[in-house]
Amino acid sequence: MPTSQHTVAPKGPLTAPHTVLLVLDDDALGELLESILSDRPCVSHRVGSLAAARALMAATAVDAVVLDGVLPDGLGLELARECGGHERPPRFAFLSA
């Protein structure tokens, strides 16, 4: 699955948009969530594996992660556990279809 990115300029007092990472291997669900986020003041990235999520998070500060429970290369919970020791870990929301 290709990585996608979506940016909407913030409205109101925000000086920088929040960054949301969607880690989902279900294209339909990913597209739905991107559509929901499209009118929010955020930058969203969508990837389909833990490996792609780790690579993106190593290069980009992420404020929130929407995470599938089971991905092709492991359990979503693994990524949340890895981030638990960070100084400013992102917030996680888990989904399962």
Side-chain angles (χ1 to χ4, degrees):
M1 173 173 131
T3 300
S4 64
Q5 180 177 349
H6 151 86
T7 305
V8 173
K11 300 172 188 170
L14 280 176
T15 57
H18 292 280
T19 301
V20 179
L21 174 59
L22 305 173
V23 187
L24 308 161
D25 60 348
D26 181 318
D27 285 335
L29 182 56
E31 290 171 11
L32 173 65
L33 290 174
E34 283 182 321
S35 173
I36 291 168
L37 292 171
S38 69
D39 65 346
R40 304 284 187 241
C42 67
V43 175
S44 67
H45 302 273
R46 181 165 52 111
V47 298
S49 68
L50 292 174
R54 288 180 182 114
L56 192 139
M57 292 177 80
T60 305
V62 173
D63 299 300
V65 180
V66 178
L67 191 57
D68 195 340
V70 180
L71 292 151
D73 57 347
L75 299 176
L77 187 57
E78 294 172 27
L79 184 64
R81 285 184 178 148
E82 290 170 18
C83 293
H86 293 177
E87 182 177 320
R88 189 175 165 261
R91 295 181 183 244
F92 285 87
F94 289 88
L95 295 178
S96 184

